[in-house]
Amino acid sequence: MPESKGLVLVVEDERNIADLQRRYLSREGFGVHVETDGGAALAAARRLRPVAIVLDIALPGMDGMELCRRLRTEGDWTPVLFVTARDEVTDRILGLELGGDDYLTKPFSPQELVARVKSLLRRAAGPGTDPVRRIGRLTLDSGRRTLRVDEEPVELTTTEFNLLAFLMHHPEQVFTREQLLAQVWGYAGYRDTRVMDVYVSQLRAKLGDASPIRTVRGVGYSVTDADTAR
């Protein structure tokens, strides 16, 4: 038997979709545990400590957004891929603001779901040998995946960390939203580049006046000295 790539928690109340997700993830070497109820899924996440969670938003008992919010409140930063039948921008943004790392809109191909999960895990692992980077009041360690502001730890989601790490490893360079999405998500052609604005806003809120992220109007974002960031 090949070694498992880790356990993925699939939270989906439509049995046929859950079975499809299980089958394709299993083919790629993942262990899969399925829950159909939000409350049971929260208990399973706490008990099983999966490497990733594929989380439907519309669930009985507790919806996916509330489940994700509770995990993040508890300090659980397991990568979360939201799945939603609704293509509303507000739903997607709210999911990201609650700590989700990516999302898929139904209907989707199972191959894309597997690719998204694998991309999340690659980003979560990160490069193990990158040096510590210091800009302004920030100290980022890509190997340990830690961030400190004035020596105080700051908790970031997987995607927030990877976005900040990429910018800090390319200081003073300006990147478009499309370029950042390709780097952070691992593939180009993302449909809605506005999600990048959500992540930048979240980072700035967490970093406060120590944020080194600068907006370049009409282009995108860069990292510069915190004293001059806007």
Side-chain angles (χ1 to χ4, degrees):
M1 289 287 291
E3 183 179 353
S4 172
K5 296 179 180 178
L7 178 73
V8 175
L9 174 60
V10 170
V11 189
E12 172 61 65
D13 64 329
E14 295 185 52
R15 294 284 185 179
N16 59 329
I17 296 178
D19 289 343
L20 191 64
Q21 293 175 356
R22 184 208 299 269
R23 186 162 64 250
Y24 274 80
L25 287 165
S26 296
R27 286 179 184 175
E28 291 296 319
F30 292 102
V32 181
H33 178 85
V34 176
E35 293 288 353
T36 59
D37 174 88
L42 180 59
R46 291 167 172 164
R47 181 179 75 254
L48 300 174
R49 309 298 296 178
V51 296
I53 302 173
V54 178
L55 182 57
D56 190 21
I57 289 180
L59 294 168
M62 177 191 303
D63 68 28
M65 290 189 182
E66 175 62 14
L67 194 160
C68 182
R69 186 194 68 78
R70 293 198 188 188
L71 288 175
R72 297 318 191 216
T73 300
E74 295 171 4
D76 185 334
W77 298 96
T78 302
V80 170
L81 171 63
F82 274 119
V83 176
T84 176
R86 298 172 295 187
D87 196 21
E88 295 292 332
V89 172
T90 53
D91 290 335
R92 299 200 300 271
I93 289 176
L94 179 57
L96 298 176
E97 288 178 338
L98 290 173
D101 296 284
D102 201 352
Y103 62 85
L104 269 177
T105 302
K106 296 178 182 178
F108 54 83
S109 79
Q111 292 94 337
E112 182 177 5
L113 178 134
V114 171
R116 298 280 187 106
V117 170
K118 292 166 75 173
S119 177
L120 280 179
L121 294 177
R122 284 196 302 270
R123 287 150 41 196
T129 59
D130 274 4
V132 172
R133 303 289 293 185
R134 295 182 178 87
I135 291 182
R137 295 156 56 192
L138 275 60
T139 302
L140 182 141
D141 188 329
S142 294
R144 294 183 174 88
R145 294 191 66 81
T146 60
L147 173 71
R148 291 181 176 273
V149 176
D150 296 332
E151 300 307 317
E152 291 296 321
V154 176
E155 294 285 353
L156 300 178
T157 68
T158 298
T159 303
E160 290 167 353
F161 186 93
N162 287 332
L163 171 58
L164 183 61
F166 178 77
L167 288 170
M168 287 183 65
H169 280 82
H170 300 84
E172 306 300 336
Q173 297 185 45
V174 180
F175 295 94
T176 67
R177 291 166 176 80
E178 291 83 359
Q179 289 170 334
L180 290 173
L181 285 166
Q183 292 294 328
V184 174
W185 265 264
Y187 44 79
Y190 215 76
R191 290 185 302 168
D192 188 357
T193 61
R194 286 173 293 181
V195 299
M196 185 54 61
D197 299 329
V198 175
Y199 280 113
V200 170
S201 177
Q202 291 173 187
L203 277 171
R204 284 173 168 161
K206 291 184 177 182
L207 301 178
D209 59 8
S211 174
I213 302 174
R214 179 172 62 100
T215 300
V216 180
R217 293 188 182 278
V219 183
Y221 298 102
S222 71
V223 151
T224 187
D225 183 84
D227 292 335
T228 61
R230 295 290 186 271

